[in-house]
Amino acid sequence: MPPPTPLTVGVIGPSGFGGSYLCVELLTRGHTVIGLSRHPQKLGSHERYIPRAIDIDALSYPDLATHFSDIDVLVSEYGPHTAGADALLYMPFLEAVRKIVLAVKISPIRYFLFVGGAGSLLVPGTLETCVDHPQFFMAYRRAIATSEAHIVYVEERLGAMGTALRAYRDARVAEREGRATQEHKRSIEEYEAGINRKDRATDFIRAGRTA
């Protein structure tokens, strides 16, 4: 079987948590990657990596489409660039995604893939997405609390939300190791009570599903 033909792949959000891994994988497989974001150079340098600085919020969709003219496949790993809890807003995310979709429609791109996150997946045997399942957010938070890389990312991006996530993680580790204090137990109870009440992060994850 002949090797696959190398493609020029555009990645919106190349230096983000998901986009950076995708870019490295694409480059490893021999493709050329065009990174599209405000600061695409943050990913680093590679002979087949082309950083293309754009601000999606500031561009009209026809102007945005001009940046897609030399791309075979576009993958959106878009995430808002606002720091703190203001990054977790439902409507601005959807409006930006709408602009990307309209730009793709008037561009020569052959394939467009949108990464919506695990919340977009269907619960097996149903038409219900994971994000709408009553147990999803608890399972999701417990899972991400095991990842040091994700906690560091949230601390850098969302400030106090990352601090709370780390405290929750430390308390769960202490509980698992049999050394949990009353303070650890209270930290777990308070954090999980907040998950059950919903917060701004749940709205943002639902925006990814809706998009």
PDB file of all heavy atoms in Angstrom, residues 184-208:
ATOM      1  N   HIS A 184      -9.629  17.724  54.343  1.00  0.00           N
ATOM      2  CA  HIS A 184      -9.654  17.087  53.025  1.00  0.00           C
ATOM      3  C   HIS A 184     -11.074  16.651  52.666  1.00  0.00           C
ATOM      4  O   HIS A 184     -11.552  16.881  51.546  1.00  0.00           O
ATOM      5  CB  HIS A 184      -8.732  15.860  53.003  1.00  0.00           C
ATOM      6  CG  HIS A 184      -7.278  16.194  52.960  1.00  0.00           C
ATOM      7  ND1 HIS A 184      -6.351  15.586  53.785  1.00  0.00           N
ATOM      8  CD2 HIS A 184      -6.576  17.073  52.198  1.00  0.00           C
ATOM      9  CE1 HIS A 184      -5.148  16.067  53.522  1.00  0.00           C
ATOM     10  NE2 HIS A 184      -5.258  16.975  52.568  1.00  0.00           N
ATOM     11  N   LYS A 185     -11.741  16.012  53.614  1.00  0.00           N
ATOM     12  CA  LYS A 185     -13.096  15.524  53.362  1.00  0.00           C
ATOM     13  C   LYS A 185     -14.056  16.676  53.081  1.00  0.00           C
ATOM     14  O   LYS A 185     -14.919  16.586  52.204  1.00  0.00           O
ATOM     15  CB  LYS A 185     -13.579  14.703  54.552  1.00  0.00           C
ATOM     16  CG  LYS A 185     -12.797  13.400  54.749  1.00  0.00           C
ATOM     17  CD  LYS A 185     -13.256  12.652  55.992  1.00  0.00           C
ATOM     18  CE  LYS A 185     -12.442  11.374  56.178  1.00  0.00           C
ATOM     19  NZ  LYS A 185     -12.836  10.640  57.411  1.00  0.00           N
ATOM     20  N   ARG A 186     -13.886  17.761  53.821  1.00  0.00           N
ATOM     21  CA  ARG A 186     -14.735  18.932  53.600  1.00  0.00           C
ATOM     22  C   ARG A 186     -14.464  19.538  52.224  1.00  0.00           C
ATOM     23  O   ARG A 186     -15.391  19.970  51.527  1.00  0.00           O
ATOM     24  CB  ARG A 186     -14.491  19.964  54.694  1.00  0.00           C
ATOM     25  CG  ARG A 186     -15.413  21.185  54.593  1.00  0.00           C
ATOM     26  CD  ARG A 186     -15.376  22.020  55.863  1.00  0.00           C
ATOM     27  NE  ARG A 186     -14.028  22.451  56.206  1.00  0.00           N
ATOM     28  CZ  ARG A 186     -13.315  21.954  57.218  1.00  0.00           C
ATOM     29  NH1 ARG A 186     -13.837  21.000  57.986  1.00  0.00           N
ATOM     30  NH2 ARG A 186     -12.102  22.398  57.475  1.00  0.00           N
ATOM     31  N   SER A 187     -13.198  19.537  51.814  1.00  0.00           N
ATOM     32  CA  SER A 187     -12.838  20.064  50.499  1.00  0.00           C
ATOM     33  C   SER A 187     -13.508  19.266  49.391  1.00  0.00           C
ATOM     34  O   SER A 187     -14.037  19.839  48.425  1.00  0.00           O
ATOM     35  CB  SER A 187     -11.316  20.030  50.325  1.00  0.00           C
ATOM     36  OG  SER A 187     -10.948  20.490  49.043  1.00  0.00           O
ATOM     37  N   ILE A 188     -13.513  17.946  49.520  1.00  0.00           N
ATOM     38  CA  ILE A 188     -14.155  17.088  48.520  1.00  0.00           C
ATOM     39  C   ILE A 188     -15.660  17.342  48.487  1.00  0.00           C
ATOM     40  O   ILE A 188     -16.259  17.501  47.417  1.00  0.00           O
ATOM     41  CB  ILE A 188     -13.867  15.603  48.821  1.00  0.00           C
ATOM     42  CG1 ILE A 188     -12.380  15.306  48.618  1.00  0.00           C
ATOM     43  CG2 ILE A 188     -14.717  14.694  47.923  1.00  0.00           C
ATOM     44  CD1 ILE A 188     -11.957  13.929  49.087  1.00  0.00           C
ATOM     45  N   GLU A 189     -16.275  17.395  49.669  1.00  0.00           N
ATOM     46  CA  GLU A 189     -17.726  17.600  49.744  1.00  0.00           C
ATOM     47  C   GLU A 189     -18.132  18.933  49.127  1.00  0.00           C
ATOM     48  O   GLU A 189     -19.104  19.014  48.364  1.00  0.00           O
ATOM     49  CB  GLU A 189     -18.181  17.535  51.201  1.00  0.00           C
ATOM     50  CG  GLU A 189     -18.111  16.138  51.807  1.00  0.00           C
ATOM     51  CD  GLU A 189     -18.450  16.143  53.285  1.00  0.00           C
ATOM     52  OE1 GLU A 189     -18.762  17.238  53.824  1.00  0.00           O
ATOM     53  OE2 GLU A 189     -18.402  15.066  53.910  1.00  0.00           O
ATOM     54  N   GLU A 190     -17.393  19.987  49.436  1.00  0.00           N
ATOM     55  CA  GLU A 190     -17.740  21.317  48.929  1.00  0.00           C
ATOM     56  C   GLU A 190     -17.541  21.398  47.419  1.00  0.00           C
ATOM     57  O   GLU A 190     -18.364  21.984  46.705  1.00  0.00           O
ATOM     58  CB  GLU A 190     -16.898  22.378  49.640  1.00  0.00           C
ATOM     59  CG  GLU A 190     -17.273  22.558  51.107  1.00  0.00           C
ATOM     60  CD  GLU A 190     -16.374  23.555  51.816  1.00  0.00           C
ATOM     61  OE1 GLU A 190     -15.386  24.023  51.184  1.00  0.00           O
ATOM     62  OE2 GLU A 190     -16.643  23.876  52.993  1.00  0.00           O
ATOM     63  N   TYR A 191     -16.450  20.810  46.931  1.00  0.00           N
ATOM     64  CA  TYR A 191     -16.193  20.870  45.488  1.00  0.00           C
ATOM     65  C   TYR A 191     -17.251  20.088  44.715  1.00  0.00           C
ATOM     66  O   TYR A 191     -17.783  20.564  43.707  1.00  0.00           O
ATOM     67  CB  TYR A 191     -14.800  20.316  45.178  1.00  0.00           C
ATOM     68  CG  TYR A 191     -14.354  20.570  43.755  1.00  0.00           C
ATOM     69  CD1 TYR A 191     -13.727  21.763  43.411  1.00  0.00           C
ATOM     70  CD2 TYR A 191     -14.579  19.630  42.754  1.00  0.00           C
ATOM     71  CE1 TYR A 191     -13.320  22.010  42.104  1.00  0.00           C
ATOM     72  CE2 TYR A 191     -14.185  19.869  41.449  1.00  0.00           C
ATOM     73  CZ  TYR A 191     -13.556  21.056  41.129  1.00  0.00           C
ATOM     74  OH  TYR A 191     -13.171  21.299  39.832  1.00  0.00           O
ATOM     75  N   GLU A 192     -17.590  18.904  45.205  1.00  0.00           N
ATOM     76  CA  GLU A 192     -18.572  18.086  44.496  1.00  0.00           C
ATOM     77  C   GLU A 192     -19.980  18.650  44.628  1.00  0.00           C
ATOM     78  O   GLU A 192     -20.802  18.484  43.721  1.00  0.00           O
ATOM     79  CB  GLU A 192     -18.487  16.640  44.989  1.00  0.00           C
ATOM     80  CG  GLU A 192     -17.160  15.996  44.600  1.00  0.00           C
ATOM     81  CD  GLU A 192     -17.104  14.501  44.827  1.00  0.00           C
ATOM     82  OE1 GLU A 192     -17.989  13.965  45.538  1.00  0.00           O
ATOM     83  OE2 GLU A 192     -16.174  13.861  44.292  1.00  0.00           O
ATOM     84  N   ALA A 193     -20.254  19.351  45.720  1.00  0.00           N
ATOM     85  CA  ALA A 193     -21.545  20.033  45.831  1.00  0.00           C
ATOM     86  C   ALA A 193     -21.647  21.126  44.771  1.00  0.00           C
ATOM     87  O   ALA A 193     -22.710  21.349  44.179  1.00  0.00           O
ATOM     88  CB  ALA A 193     -21.711  20.629  47.226  1.00  0.00           C
ATOM     89  N   GLY A 194     -20.522  21.792  44.506  1.00  0.00           N
ATOM     90  CA  GLY A 194     -20.498  22.817  43.468  1.00  0.00           C
ATOM     91  C   GLY A 194     -20.728  22.236  42.086  1.00  0.00           C
ATOM     92  O   GLY A 194     -21.384  22.851  41.238  1.00  0.00           O
ATOM     93  N   ILE A 195     -20.194  21.045  41.845  1.00  0.00           N
ATOM     94  CA  ILE A 195     -20.421  20.377  40.560  1.00  0.00           C
ATOM     95  C   ILE A 195     -21.907  20.097  40.376  1.00  0.00           C
ATOM     96  O   ILE A 195     -22.476  20.319  39.304  1.00  0.00           O
ATOM     97  CB  ILE A 195     -19.625  19.058  40.486  1.00  0.00           C
ATOM     98  CG1 ILE A 195     -18.120  19.334  40.539  1.00  0.00           C
ATOM     99  CG2 ILE A 195     -19.978  18.287  39.212  1.00  0.00           C
ATOM    100  CD1 ILE A 195     -17.274  18.083  40.678  1.00  0.00           C
ATOM    101  N   ASN A 196     -22.542  19.625  41.421  1.00  0.00           N
ATOM    102  CA  ASN A 196     -23.967  19.296  41.337  1.00  0.00           C
ATOM    103  C   ASN A 196     -24.839  20.533  41.148  1.00  0.00           C
ATOM    104  O   ASN A 196     -25.929  20.448  40.579  1.00  0.00           O
ATOM    105  CB  ASN A 196     -24.402  18.539  42.595  1.00  0.00           C
ATOM    106  CG  ASN A 196     -23.822  17.134  42.650  1.00  0.00           C
ATOM    107  OD1 ASN A 196     -23.640  16.499  41.618  1.00  0.00           O
ATOM    108  ND2 ASN A 196     -23.519  16.655  43.848  1.00  0.00           N
ATOM    109  N   ARG A 197     -24.347  21.691  41.624  1.00  0.00           N
ATOM    110  CA  ARG A 197     -25.112  22.935  41.439  1.00  0.00           C
ATOM    111  C   ARG A 197     -24.911  23.512  40.048  1.00  0.00           C
ATOM    112  O   ARG A 197     -25.611  24.425  39.641  1.00  0.00           O
ATOM    113  CB  ARG A 197     -24.676  23.987  42.472  1.00  0.00           C
ATOM    114  CG  ARG A 197     -25.145  23.718  43.887  1.00  0.00           C
ATOM    115  CD  ARG A 197     -24.967  24.960  44.747  1.00  0.00           C
ATOM    116  NE  ARG A 197     -23.583  25.424  44.774  1.00  0.00           N
ATOM    117  CZ  ARG A 197     -22.680  25.035  45.671  1.00  0.00           C
ATOM    118  NH1 ARG A 197     -23.015  24.149  46.601  1.00  0.00           N
ATOM    119  NH2 ARG A 197     -21.454  25.509  45.641  1.00  0.00           N
ATOM    120  N   LYS A 198     -23.921  23.021  39.330  1.00  0.00           N
ATOM    121  CA  LYS A 198     -23.509  23.526  38.017  1.00  0.00           C
ATOM    122  C   LYS A 198     -22.730  24.833  38.193  1.00  0.00           C
ATOM    123  O   LYS A 198     -22.897  25.562  39.160  1.00  0.00           O
ATOM    124  CB  LYS A 198     -24.688  23.759  37.061  1.00  0.00           C
ATOM    125  CG  LYS A 198     -25.629  22.585  36.947  1.00  0.00           C
ATOM    126  CD  LYS A 198     -24.936  21.340  36.433  1.00  0.00           C
ATOM    127  CE  LYS A 198     -25.897  20.186  36.278  1.00  0.00           C
ATOM    128  NZ  LYS A 198     -25.220  18.923  35.946  1.00  0.00           N
ATOM    129  N   ASP A 199     -21.863  25.120  37.238  1.00  0.00           N
ATOM    130  CA  ASP A 199     -21.094  26.354  37.267  1.00  0.00           C
ATOM    131  C   ASP A 199     -20.845  26.808  35.838  1.00  0.00           C
ATOM    132  O   ASP A 199     -21.377  26.236  34.891  1.00  0.00           O
ATOM    133  CB  ASP A 199     -19.779  26.176  38.042  1.00  0.00           C
ATOM    134  CG  ASP A 199     -18.910  25.056  37.468  1.00  0.00           C
ATOM    135  OD1 ASP A 199     -19.063  24.728  36.270  1.00  0.00           O
ATOM    136  OD2 ASP A 199     -18.079  24.516  38.208  1.00  0.00           O
ATOM    137  N   ARG A 200     -20.018  27.846  35.668  1.00  0.00           N
ATOM    138  CA  ARG A 200     -19.829  28.406  34.330  1.00  0.00           C
ATOM    139  C   ARG A 200     -19.137  27.418  33.394  1.00  0.00           C
ATOM    140  O   ARG A 200     -19.332  27.454  32.183  1.00  0.00           O
ATOM    141  CB  ARG A 200     -19.035  29.706  34.435  1.00  0.00           C
ATOM    142  CG  ARG A 200     -19.781  30.772  35.214  1.00  0.00           C
ATOM    143  CD  ARG A 200     -18.963  32.022  35.396  1.00  0.00           C
ATOM    144  NE  ARG A 200     -18.992  32.856  34.207  1.00  0.00           N
ATOM    145  CZ  ARG A 200     -18.449  34.069  34.163  1.00  0.00           C
ATOM    146  NH1 ARG A 200     -17.847  34.566  35.225  1.00  0.00           N
ATOM    147  NH2 ARG A 200     -18.502  34.778  33.060  1.00  0.00           N
ATOM    148  N   ALA A 201     -18.334  26.533  33.960  1.00  0.00           N
ATOM    149  CA  ALA A 201     -17.650  25.556  33.122  1.00  0.00           C
ATOM    150  C   ALA A 201     -18.644  24.613  32.454  1.00  0.00           C
ATOM    151  O   ALA A 201     -18.445  24.191  31.316  1.00  0.00           O
ATOM    152  CB  ALA A 201     -16.643  24.758  33.949  1.00  0.00           C
ATOM    153  N   THR A 202     -19.731  24.279  33.142  1.00  0.00           N
ATOM    154  CA  THR A 202     -20.714  23.380  32.540  1.00  0.00           C
ATOM    155  C   THR A 202     -21.382  24.041  31.338  1.00  0.00           C
ATOM    156  O   THR A 202     -21.666  23.375  30.338  1.00  0.00           O
ATOM    157  CB  THR A 202     -21.783  22.953  33.566  1.00  0.00           C
ATOM    158  OG1 THR A 202     -22.512  24.099  34.003  1.00  0.00           O
ATOM    159  CG2 THR A 202     -21.151  22.279  34.770  1.00  0.00           C
ATOM    160  N   ASP A 203     -21.626  25.345  31.413  1.00  0.00           N
ATOM    161  CA  ASP A 203     -22.206  26.053  30.266  1.00  0.00           C
ATOM    162  C   ASP A 203     -21.258  26.037  29.079  1.00  0.00           C
ATOM    163  O   ASP A 203     -21.669  25.872  27.931  1.00  0.00           O
ATOM    164  CB  ASP A 203     -22.529  27.502  30.639  1.00  0.00           C
ATOM    165  CG  ASP A 203     -23.787  27.619  31.476  1.00  0.00           C
ATOM    166  OD1 ASP A 203     -24.577  26.655  31.486  1.00  0.00           O
ATOM    167  OD2 ASP A 203     -23.976  28.669  32.110  1.00  0.00           O
ATOM    168  N   PHE A 204     -19.962  26.208  29.353  1.00  0.00           N
ATOM    169  CA  PHE A 204     -18.974  26.215  28.278  1.00  0.00           C
ATOM    170  C   PHE A 204     -18.898  24.846  27.604  1.00  0.00           C
ATOM    171  O   PHE A 204     -18.831  24.738  26.377  1.00  0.00           O
ATOM    172  CB  PHE A 204     -17.607  26.608  28.836  1.00  0.00           C
ATOM    173  CG  PHE A 204     -16.503  26.528  27.827  1.00  0.00           C
ATOM    174  CD1 PHE A 204     -16.442  27.429  26.780  1.00  0.00           C
ATOM    175  CD2 PHE A 204     -15.524  25.555  27.917  1.00  0.00           C
ATOM    176  CE1 PHE A 204     -15.428  27.361  25.837  1.00  0.00           C
ATOM    177  CE2 PHE A 204     -14.511  25.479  26.988  1.00  0.00           C
ATOM    178  CZ  PHE A 204     -14.460  26.387  25.946  1.00  0.00           C
ATOM    179  N   ILE A 205     -18.921  23.787  28.402  1.00  0.00           N
ATOM    180  CA  ILE A 205     -18.863  22.435  27.836  1.00  0.00           C
ATOM    181  C   ILE A 205     -20.116  22.160  27.010  1.00  0.00           C
ATOM    182  O   ILE A 205     -20.060  21.527  25.955  1.00  0.00           O
ATOM    183  CB  ILE A 205     -18.688  21.397  28.961  1.00  0.00           C
ATOM    184  CG1 ILE A 205     -17.314  21.591  29.623  1.00  0.00           C
ATOM    185  CG2 ILE A 205     -18.813  19.980  28.425  1.00  0.00           C
ATOM    186  CD1 ILE A 205     -17.123  20.811  30.899  1.00  0.00           C
ATOM    187  N   ARG A 206     -21.248  22.661  27.467  1.00  0.00           N
ATOM    188  CA  ARG A 206     -22.477  22.513  26.673  1.00  0.00           C
ATOM    189  C   ARG A 206     -22.382  23.298  25.364  1.00  0.00           C
ATOM    190  O   ARG A 206     -22.947  22.897  24.348  1.00  0.00           O
ATOM    191  CB  ARG A 206     -23.687  22.968  27.483  1.00  0.00           C
ATOM    192  CG  ARG A 206     -24.124  21.954  28.524  1.00  0.00           C
ATOM    193  CD  ARG A 206     -25.523  22.257  29.045  1.00  0.00           C
ATOM    194  NE  ARG A 206     -26.013  21.146  29.838  1.00  0.00           N
ATOM    195  CZ  ARG A 206     -25.827  21.016  31.149  1.00  0.00           C
ATOM    196  NH1 ARG A 206     -25.152  21.949  31.803  1.00  0.00           N
ATOM    197  NH2 ARG A 206     -26.293  19.971  31.797  1.00  0.00           N
ATOM    198  N   ALA A 207     -21.676  24.420  25.389  1.00  0.00           N
ATOM    199  CA  ALA A 207     -21.491  25.185  24.153  1.00  0.00           C
ATOM    200  C   ALA A 207     -20.704  24.366  23.142  1.00  0.00           C
ATOM    201  O   ALA A 207     -20.997  24.382  21.944  1.00  0.00           O
ATOM    202  CB  ALA A 207     -20.768  26.501  24.446  1.00  0.00           C
ATOM    203  N   GLY A 208     -19.691  23.627  23.614  1.00  0.00           N
ATOM    204  CA  GLY A 208     -18.932  22.754  22.725  1.00  0.00           C
ATOM    205  C   GLY A 208     -19.809  21.680  22.123  1.00  0.00           C
ATOM    206  O   GLY A 208     -19.700  21.351  20.939  1.00  0.00           O
TER     207      GLY A 208
END
